[in-house]
Every structure is written in C-alpha cells, then in structure tokens.
Amino acid sequence: MPDTDTLADLLIAGGTVVNETTRFPADVAMKDGVICFVGHPAFAPRAKETLDAKGKLVIPGAIDVHTHIREPGMTHKEDWTTGTRAAAAGGVTTVFDMPNTEPAVSSPEILAAKREAAERQAIVNYGLYGILDERSLDHLEGLAAAGVIGFKLFLGNTTGNNPAPNDGAVLEGFEILAGLGLRCSIHAENSPILFWRENRMKAAGRDDAFAHLAARADVAALESLSRSIVLSEWTGARIHIVHESCMRSIPVIRDAKARGVPMTVETCPQYVLLAAEDLTGDAGRIARLNPPIREGRQREPILQALLDGTIDILGTDHAPHAMEEKQRPSFWDNACGFPGVETSMRLMLTLVHEGRMTMEQYVRMASAAPARAFGLWPRKGVVQPGADGDIAVVDPAQRHVIRGAELHSIRSPFTPFEGMATVGGPVATIVRGRVVMRDGKVLDAPGWGRMERPQMPKPEPRNLATTTRAILRPGAQPW
Ligand code: DOR
Ligand code: ZN
C-alpha cells in the first residue's frame, strides 16, 4: 500500500531537467503545489498522476513580466480567462499584468477589483502592477501593502493614454519606491518627442509604418532610458526597462550596471526576430507597437545583449486588441501591440534549435532572471525541491506553424509571426503541481492561478536627506 503521506500529486517521469546553469536526467515530483523530489527515478515517490517526459526537457515555467490582460475595462480585447489560457498554452506559469487597464491601477481599491476578476478566472499565477503617475503618488504605499508585484511608469504615451508624469512627480515617486524596495517597470520613450514628431509627420501628410517609426526614433528611447537611469541612481529606486529595442541603448545599460544602478532590462521576441523593412502594408499594421520594430540590423546586437546578460529578461509585451482596432484606415489610428504570451517560448526554442542560444540561456532569461528581479526567487525560476511546482515540459523537436486564428487570445486572432515555422515547444504546462495544458489542450482550472507577492531584498535608498518628504518633514534641515 502506498504511504499516503509520501504519495506525491504528480510525477514527471523520464525527462531531463534544465535549469539556468545545470542539465541532468531526473524525475520531478510535486505535492501540495511544491516540488518535493528531483532525482534518480529509483528514488522517486509514487504519485497519483504520472506524466511521461521521455525525450522531453523539464524547465521552470516561463514568467512573463510584461503582459496586458485588459480586464477590467477592455474585455473586448482579452480577459483573465483568455489571457491566462493563452499563457498556459505557451508554457507560461506566471504573468505580470500591466496597470493600463480601465481604470488604471492607481489605488488599492482599483487593485482589489482587478484582483477579484483574476482570482475567479486565472489558470496561471499572476502578479499585478500598480501605476506610478501623478494621481497615484499618495497611494504607492497602499498599493505596496496590497501586494503589487511592482509599479509601471509610462514615460512614453501608449494604449490607455496614461499621460507621462512630470519629471518632478517621477523623482518623488522614485524616492518613495526606493524606500519600499519594489521594482518600477518603465516604458522608456520621451513623450514630448513622440508627440512633437508624430504631429510633424501628420502635418506633412505622412500616414505609414515608417512615419510611426520615425516619430518614435531611437533617440526618444535613448533619452528616456538615460533619464530613468539618472533618477534611479540618485534615489536607489529599483527599475526595470521594458521592451528594449535599440542597439544604441546597450552601452548605456552596460555603463549604468557597472556603476551599480539597480536596474534590470527586458526585450521581447519581436525586437530579436522582426525587421521594420519587412513590415509593409497589412503586416505593418499588425506589427505596429510601441516602441516600434526597428531596422533589421538592430536585431543581432539586441540578441547578443540578451545572451550576455546585459539585457536580463525576455518578456513579451503581450498586447491583445480586437481585429477591427488593427484595421483602421489611418495607420495612426491603428491600435498598438499584438498578442505574444503564447508564441514566445516556441519562437525562442527555435533559436535554441538553430544553435543561436542554449536552453540554459533561455531558462535564465524567461524564468530565473524574472524571478530574481521581482522577488520570487528561489521559490520560482528553478526546478528544485522546495520551489513551486511551476513547470513547462518541452519537446525540443516539436514542429509548429504559428497561426493567429489558433491563438487562445480568441478576441485578438492575429500575430506578426503568422506562418512562421517553429521547432521546439511546450507539451505540458504545470502550475503549482496541477497540469493546466497537455499536448496543446488547455484544461479547465479557473481560479487555480494565485496572486504572487514579491519578497524583495532590503531596500537601499540613496540621498535620503534630499527627498521631498525629508525636506518637508517638520523640523528637518533642508541641507
Ligand atoms: O504597443 C504597445 N501596446 N506598447 C505598449 O507599451 C502598450 C501596449 C498596449 O497596452 O496595448
Ligand atoms: Zn506593454
């Protein structure tokens, strides 16, 4: 008779575990949502359910720190059901949801409403961002106490039209966040430059993909990145630069990191794989996003920076929209973004198949580094006893052709990767010990996903005596 105390819930048998620095054949067992065994099959516990992983790789599930799930307020694009089903289909076990929903997440009350919607539906784990803007400055502590995974700062205007805060407000926000220790993800494009140039393009009658690229030129990203670094370095606020797209940013990032600026950086498959010059006509409409896909020559430097760790994290900027929002007559009225959470792993494993990156590097950028940056390590990001049972089982030889119409983001059935042939993909997704996707079929598990709260290292604020609050505190000396 099996001893029910040691009977695991799930055993993944016969696979090869790949973590960011190791690879070894092992069985993996989970009980009560946590990995309880990684080791030789002869010593594996019996389990209620066994998943055969012969010839497969067993990796920590991807953690996508950049998704737009859209609920509340924009559920004609996506909701917590479709968004997390798409994640499960793509081997993603945790998504972080951006706060540019309707309403934007600027207070604990708004966060609570979003959490309630997620709790009922999510089949993968989730972190919820709060927004850092002029409205939310007085709510940052409240949002932190309510368990946000971090904050999002839109320095560049995009979907949701959340105006970029004044630099004074950003500085004050960073002063507060430095004390809290939470990370602030930044959309680093200079808003005044974007608006000015877009208006110049429009006034000249331009209405095309290249004008969009020109309006959001590299320099706008470079300026905003540099300003973010200055404010982070001064205050000690931890920052995360999302969707890095410019090769010219790479030396700036390297320099800043070498000086000890507490920053991490992300890029997305589209900046590694797509080229502006290939995206004319309808393809350009589908691929329109912010920041834009740049010239093809920028791809390799971005990939190399991702491989050498200058860029830490692979996100997706999963940004679903309704089809009609992508087909408006004027290019300028076309919604920015496209779904990405479901296709990212397949696209990257294709690079692994081609020998352009290793599986270990993929695990680092897609799971380990995100977990470390956002206070989830070592509970997530690694397959080892004691860690959460969040796992993707990968078939490195699986062949697939990406089709927008087959995505689980069913209200957003398009992708700029349409027709692309991929090699390597997830065959099972396991969230806290429960199989939520198997052989491409997403299983019903609404509400199984759990909200993830960060456990960040001790805050390390800098220049404390110069903060607005320190100066305004009664009796404080302003020098
Ligand atoms: O293209 C984009 N779409 N870029 C962003 O930063 C936001 C996103 C969205 O929310 O649609
Ligand atoms: Zn985004």
Side-chain angles (χ1 to χ4, degrees):
M1 281 295 287
D3 169 359
T4 44
D5 278 350
T6 55
L7 186 69
D9 296 323
L10 178 67
L11 177 70
I12 305 173
T16 297
V17 170
V18 183
N19 283 319
E20 62 178 330
T21 55
T22 52
R23 178 188 294 237
F24 52 91
D27 281 9
V28 178
M30 281 151 275
K31 188 173 170 57
D32 300 329
V34 174
I35 298 174
C36 59
F37 173 85
V38 178
H40 194 281
F43 302 105
R46 275 167 295 186
K48 294 179 196 154
E49 187 185 348
T50 299
L51 206 149
D52 177 16
K54 225 167 270 121
K56 311 286 192 291
L57 306 177
V58 179
I59 67 172
I63 299 171
D64 190 341
V65 307
H66 191 164
T67 71
H68 299 265
I69 301 291
R70 307 298 195 196
E71 184 174 2
M74 301 179 189
T75 50
H76 65 289
K77 301 174 192 276
E78 181 97 293
D79 60 29
W80 280 99
T81 298
T82 57
T84 59
R85 284 174 64 83
V92 177
T93 50
T94 302
V95 293
F96 293 178
D97 176 52
M98 287 296 173
N100 59 331
T101 36
E102 188 52 54
V105 183
S106 58
S107 73
E109 293 71 35
I110 297 171
L111 181 81
K114 179 178 277 193
R115 180 176 183 177
E116 198 270 325
E119 254 168 12
R120 269 186 291 113
Q121 302 170 67
I123 72 167
V124 303
N125 306 314
Y126 49 93
L128 303 180
Y129 280 105
I131 196 164
L132 169 56
D133 65 10
E134 294 180 22
R135 288 169 297 189
S136 70
L137 277 188
D138 291 335
H139 295 298
L140 301 182
E141 281 107 334
L143 284 161
V148 290
I149 196 73
F151 287 87
K152 176 70 178 284
L153 166 60
F154 290 96
L155 288 179
N157 202 269
T158 188
T159 304
N161 284 325
N162 293 288
N166 172 293
D167 287 344
V170 175
L171 175 59
E172 190 168 341
F174 277 19
E175 289 169 356
I176 298 166
L177 292 190
L180 294 170
L182 292 175
R183 197 170 291 278
C184 186
S185 290
I186 305 178
H187 180 128
E189 289 186 287
N190 175 309
S191 214
I193 293 178
L194 307 182
F195 279 121
W196 183 268
R197 288 180 73 117
E198 183 171 324
N199 288 335
R200 296 281 290 150
M201 298 292 145
K202 286 177 177 167
R206 294 292 300 267
D207 189 357
D208 55 85
F210 184 73
H212 172 71
L213 176 62
R216 310 188 77 116
D218 299 38
V219 64
L222 203 54
E223 190 283 338
S224 190
L225 167 70
S226 304
R227 184 156 35 103
S228 301
I229 288 170
V230 169
L231 297 178
S232 162
E233 186 164 25
W234 182 265
T235 58
R238 296 178 174 130
I239 61 170
H240 172 64
I241 302 296
V242 298
H243 46 47
E244 183 53 68
S245 59
C246 298
M247 61 186 192
R248 289 285 296 275
S249 298
I250 295 164
V252 177
I253 295 163
R254 243 177 229 142
D255 260 28
K257 285 186 164 186
R259 289 202 307 277
V261 177
M263 72 187 300
T264 54
V265 183
E266 151 202 314
T267 192
C268 312
Q270 52 269 30
Y271 302 114
V272 173
L273 298 172
L274 301 178
E277 53 270 34
D278 300 337
L279 298 165
T280 51
D282 267 356
R285 287 174 190 280
I286 296 299
R288 183 188 190 209
L289 88 160
N290 302 320
I293 288 157
R294 302 193 187 276
E295 304 82 352
R297 68 192 161 80
Q298 304 218 31
R299 290 175 292 188
E300 192 58 28
I302 292 285
L303 175 61
Q304 289 310 318
L306 182 60
L307 296 180
D308 74 21
T310 304
I311 297 176
D312 308 77
I313 289 176
L314 179 80
T316 65
D317 197 3
H318 174 76
H321 294 284
M323 194 69 207
E324 60 269 20
E325 295 170 322
K326 294 293 280 184
Q327 291 174 322
R328 293 182 181 135
S330 166
F331 195 85
W332 299 111
D333 295 335
N334 250 316
C336 292
F338 43 79
V341 73
E342 186 167 346
T343 48
S344 179
M345 187 179 284
R346 282 203 177 88
L347 291 165
M348 289 296 136
L349 294 190
T350 305
L351 295 185
V352 173
H353 171 75
E354 291 167 355
R356 297 172 71 193
M357 70 166 72
T358 67
M359 197 64 200
E360 287 81 350
Q361 283 172 318
Y362 172 73
V363 168
R364 187 191 72 213
M365 66 182 73
S367 191
R372 270 194 294 271
F374 287 89
L376 301 177
W377 178 269
R379 191 161 58 74
K380 295 191 187 295
V382 58
V383 177
Q384 69 181 12
D388 287 349
D390 291 352
I391 285 175
V393 180
V394 161
D395 178 356
Q398 183 197 74
R399 287 182 186 265
H400 184 86
V401 176
I402 292 179
R403 298 281 174 215
E406 291 171 8
L407 296 178
H408 288 76
S409 295
I410 48 176
R411 278 160 238 148
S412 189
F414 52 85
T415 165
F417 305 107
E418 184 71 34
M420 221 174 251
T422 58
V423 183
V427 292
T429 305
I430 294 141
V431 174
R432 288 185 298 109
R434 178 167 173 179
V435 180
V436 296
M437 184 279 281
R438 183 135 194 205
D439 297 327
K441 193 172 154 26
V442 178
L443 307 175
D444 271 341
W448 181 251
R450 186 175 63 184
M451 177 157 140
E452 299 295 341
R453 290 165 172 257
Q455 273 190 299
M456 297 296 284
K458 199 165 107 2
E460 294 179 282
R462 302 174 184 177
N463 294 304
L464 267 177
T466 74
T467 66
T468 314
R469 286 184 181 185
I471 290 164
L472 295 181
R473 199 186 304 128
Q477 299 295 325
W479 54 82

